[in-house]
Amino acid sequence: MFTPRPTGTRARASPFTPGSQRASQTKRSSGVFTPQSRRLSSLRSHTPSKSNRSLQTSQIVDDVSSQHRVESFGVPLPVLITEALTLADRNTEITVNVDPSGWAWLVGGRKLFVWRYKQHPGTRGVLCKELTLPPSDLAHSAERVCVIPSDNQPAACVAVSPEGVVRYWPNIAYESSTGEVSAELKGEECACVINFQPFGCLLATTTSSLILLTTTPGQNTIMCQPLKAAQGMFAGIGRRMSSFIFGASPMQTMGAPFQAIVPGDEDEEEMSRPFFVLSGTHVQKWEISNSGPEKLLYQVDVDRLFRETLARRTWDLDSVQMPQLRSWLIDMKTTVDGVMLLGAGVNLETDSVVHYALATLSTEDEDPPTALDDFMTLEHTERYEEDTEMDLLDLHLLVPDSTAYVYDKKVIFAKQGVSMSDRLELQSAGDQILGAGRYGETAVFFSSTHGLFCLSSAAKLEQSILEESAQEALSRSEVSTLATSRPQVAEMGASDDKSARLKAAFINSLNGNLPEAQKIVTDLFPLTDAEEELTSEMDKLVTMLSRDLIDDYPTSDPRWAESLRNDSAGSTTSLIILQQLKDKEKAHEYLISFLKRLELWDRLKAVSVRDTMMSTQLLLCEHAEKVAAAVGLRELHSDQSAIVDNCIRRVLESMRDANIPAGLSPADVFYREVSRVPEIVSALLEYEDESLSSDLSPKQCVMIVSSVNGILEGLLHSGLQYRQSRAGVFQGGADRQLEYIPWTSAGGSRGIRTMLTRQYMLTIESAVPEARDIETQGVLFQQLLGLADVLLDGYKSQLVSLQQCPRRQDQYNQLHRKYEQERDKLISPLMDHEQYERAATLAEKYFDFENLVKICELTKNEERLQRYTQQFADKGFSNFLFHWYMKEGKRGRLLSQPIGTDSDLSQFLNSDNTRYLSWLHDIGTNNFDKAHETLFDLAQGETAFLAKKKTLLSLSKLAALAADDPESLEENVEGINDELTLILHQEQLPEEVLETLGMDPANMGVMSTTELIELYVGDKNKMASEYDFKKALDLLQYLDKAEGGADLNDLKLHIWCRAILRDNWTNTADGDPLDVIRETVFFKTIDLAYTEGGDLEDVLPCQEAILSSEELGACRHNSNFQYLIKAGYEHMKNIMA
């Protein structure tokens, strides 16, 4: 492959030395492009996740930075760690320490978990061990724990309680074998413990007392030796004569606040090692050696230097002119030439803004430094308040290389020189940084949600191989057999085979011959060519090159060359195969850089894959994912060798051209052809089916399922995490609006999506019920979480691609419905087994709001529910929550939402379906004006139930009277009174009318004014009296308000005509006509209206209108009727006169 030569100058161990940890750095000579005729069939594999947190967001931090890349780091987190993080009580403080040795440890309560996050070739260590810390009334911390790695045996561990009880494990594999001693702190509190081999460990207290902890190999005893500076006026005069003569700062007394302690590099010749202490305002340099007692070489008043420089750089003043200048020294770390300090300062006389800065102090010389070597201010500032001073200073420093990282629980600031500055913030709600450290020159952080992740300079990682120095390009030429044969490359460049010419261009770029590479590419793919077609020849050639690269033969392995000549050779080791795969991974990165540098990347379009069109860039990403997956599978191989070897043989047997050459193992052949990685998934399930159908105990069946789950999870998550972490690398090209189905989500009976779904259900239905102990159940549920994540991420990627295709909206909708069904199908089993935290992890990532709400309701966790309301505010969580309460009939919960959701709840309640509840919310928030309006509107719209309308109107009136300014609502109250009067008229309808209509007085519908008038005067009211007709006349005054479309005069005439028809007017009057008409309903109604103060001119229609009304029929032509009406009108005229 293309393995860069290490740039370090240290001597490297031989790759053939047993237990060598640097075998991966030896020179390799790997073939890049093996002719097709010599290819052997192989398989595909998958990478285990760099972090065992089953869910990895596509970005751990907010994407506000283009200068750093965030990637998961290390081997998968052990189940014990994920359980500790998932199940930890919210009040338990959890801290983590990441050691450069490859070990890490987590402290929560009295539990200490130690694990190796970076496995070194040739080392065998405890994967994860849980230890118990000494009893303490104070909180334990990872800073008070020190793991002592060993090359020949498992690590040792020292842990100290805050009170000073030291517990020592010579071998963490044996928890019960411990030694314990008191450090005799005399009331002081232990601050931290650091590894200081070969002399032991250093313990520092919060008041800067120092104690050396020494152990005896092979024994569980530990001794404590207080460190003290030499006393007397001549102490150290031989090495610091000038400081003594001209005066140095007085030695700081013990009791100063302790900030940091860091070890220096060991001097093997002098058999000594220095260390540095940041105490109060001073930096002390100590030395411990085998030849004598400990020495305090010097101490420097670094606070004075820091204040002076900060004053000049920030305020352009001398520090002596700033009496209100306050400064703090916060943290310290070693650098190549000395120590770097993190400090802060604020000028209380001016703006009260806290400024942060990094200061470098050279410590190589024997004499104490008198000035700062470098000083860099950070762009980050904070407003100073005395109450928040502790939070403002709760920062930590990490210096793994030339970049310094300053971080707190949520934010990381990166600073490199004067120009480069960056800020990264954790994006997940509730996520926080629990600890950090370095591995080599890599900054590694541990977050509560994502586990271990590293930060690397994007400029450094994205740097094209074509931009590196000529010397580095030459070193690459030594790792490729084709690259070393320049005549062969020239021959390929002149070939008629376009694929060979593209390979030649690629190899020329690796050798630093960029002009020749550019010439070949220009000849192959001229810009004048028509590029309208979706798939071009360039796409096919590039994808062929990529696949040849990942399926290339490892020519650095002599057994492959021997086998191709039918000779035999020795067996391979896992280390060799693993490095071959990593070489392919690196070579593929070079290919991507080559395509981008020569401007081919954005010209790529699409290719046909699995019976559908896929973006060429995404197919290249798929190839890289499969390489990462193969690396991961190989790393898992040793732990599950029996199963993986069996499945490898199955895959090879299913391939017609899978003859295994002499001297090669099935694993050699399998891991060679990386492009066929998914085929091992079906082999794993076949192996599982056969095993479960055999005569195995339930416990053995559970172990089989768990093992297969673990392999599948590690395999597929490696590809998934590569895809997520490198999403930005593989973007580019025109938007082709193509559907994207990841290889981890291929459908069909043999597709990974189908097989994973089946495996998930098998685990739930068969394995989980048989798992009797909590630990096994925890492992299974964690595996289910990982499998579900792979399945749902595939749907999510597919949906995102379809969302960009407007013409495929129907397909998107159909897939989205299926996605929601599958999401519920995967999360519901976790809910059924009360695995609420794991279910919430999935539901949070894939926006399953229904299950998130159910989790909060079942666990009665109101705080979590409110966190989701804020976290998913832009996703409409509040609206979903309100709808869910309505659907479940929990209206009380809906109306008891916290004040922070008032605006969302008001908006929701104002919708047509829920408006009838909004007035309750308004009253609860003392918004009586709005409650009044809402109730009145609801009453106006109520037609089904008269009693309900009456209640709504009454409540609206009460709300208006309770409003801040009831007088402004006086007109509205009058309108309500009119409505209530109408209701009263309906309630007073005669019982016989209601019986005729079949109405229940308690459940009447709302009637209009016209309907009420008709019921009072119509045929249904057979016993209608003058009072009924008077009520009908009274109702006319509400006609304009309620039914403006009706004709008032016509309706009035209709009422009087109906009153006339109640009597017989055709009989000849024998006596006084006034006596005759006095007994008619018509004139009784007139008399009643007049008696009650009515204006007869307004109430009565004119005489002509009565006599000409067609509604009276033949009666109007009757002479006796005309006589009586005229007599009556004359009488009324005389009375009114």
Side-chain angles (χ1 to χ4, degrees), residues 1090-1109:
Y1090 181 74
T1091 303
E1092 292 183 357
D1095 187 353
L1096 295 183
E1097 290 185 359
D1098 292 335
V1099 173
L1100 272 173
C1102 64
Q1103 175 180 304
E1104 291 74 15
I1106 292 287
L1107 295 176
S1108 62
S1109 174

Side-chain angles (χ1 to χ4, degrees), residues 547-568:
R547 179 160 180 163
D548 287 348
L549 195 62
I550 65 174
D551 290 345
D552 190 24
Y553 289 91
T555 55
S556 63
D557 187 341
R559 295 170 304 114
W560 277 94
E562 295 280 341
S563 66
L564 294 175
R565 294 194 303 269
N566 296 322
D567 296 332
S568 62

Side-chain angles (χ1 to χ4, degrees), residues 259-401:
Q259 285 100 329
I261 180 171
V262 290
D265 294 331
E266 180 183 1
D267 188 340
E268 296 181 357
E269 293 183 0
E270 297 288 337
M271 293 184 294
S272 64
R273 187 177 186 183
F275 67 91
F276 305 89
V277 179
L278 178 57
S279 174
T281 61
H282 291 70
V283 169
Q284 302 172 346
K285 181 177 181 179
W286 292 72
E287 182 182 76
I288 297 179
S289 65
N290 289 330
S291 59
E294 67 277 4
K295 299 176 183 178
L296 173 57
L297 300 179
Y298 59 74
Q299 68 176 5
V300 181
D301 186 0
V302 73
D303 182 63
R304 177 180 59 82
L305 302 177
F306 182 85
R307 287 167 59 88
E308 292 174 352
T309 309
L310 181 66
R312 288 195 304 271
R313 296 284 184 90
T314 305
W315 296 281
D316 196 22
L317 293 173
D318 195 299
S319 60
V320 298
Q321 300 173 337
M322 304 176 65
Q324 292 297 314
L325 174 62
R326 293 192 61 186
S327 61
W328 302 271
L329 299 177
I330 303 172
D331 201 0
M332 176 178 65
K333 287 292 184 289
T334 55
T335 62
V336 176
D337 301 321
V339 294
M340 178 178 287
L341 298 106
L342 168 65
V346 58
N347 185 6
L348 298 177
E349 284 186 337
T350 57
D351 51 6
S352 295
V353 174
V354 180
H355 297 266
Y356 298 91
L358 297 171
T360 305
L361 195 70
S362 176
T363 58
E364 288 188 328
D365 297 335
E366 295 183 354
D367 295 329
T370 58
L372 299 177
D373 282 10
D374 194 14
F375 190 89
M376 299 180 294
T377 56
L378 301 181
E379 283 72 9
H380 175 65
T381 59
E382 292 281 358
R383 173 67 57 180
Y384 177 79
E385 294 181 9
E386 188 174 354
D387 294 341
T388 61
E389 181 176 314
M390 295 296 293
D391 295 331
L392 297 177
L393 304 181
D394 188 17
L395 295 172
H396 305 277
L397 178 64
L398 183 62
V399 191
D401 54 8

Side-chain angles (χ1 to χ4, degrees), residues 707-777:
S707 297
V708 172
N709 283 345
I711 297 171
L712 288 173
E713 183 189 3
L715 177 76
L716 298 174
H717 256 287
S718 299
L720 174 61
Q721 288 178 357
Y722 184 94
R723 181 191 313 149
Q724 292 174 340
S725 63
R726 303 297 178 88
V729 176
F730 290 92
Q731 289 179 349
D735 181 13
R736 307 291 176 187
Q737 296 188 352
L738 299 173
E739 182 180 11
Y740 170 51
I741 305 177
W743 64 277
T744 54
S745 301
S749 59
R750 305 286 289 181
I752 291 182
R753 177 180 288 173
T754 306
M755 292 187 286
L756 277 190
T757 303
R758 174 193 153 203
Q759 180 66 16
Y760 187 95
M761 300 313 298
L762 174 69
T763 305
I764 283 291
E765 296 170 0
S766 301
V768 171
E770 296 296 338
R772 304 302 180 188
D773 59 284
I774 296 178
E775 184 176 358
T776 303
Q777 289 179 355

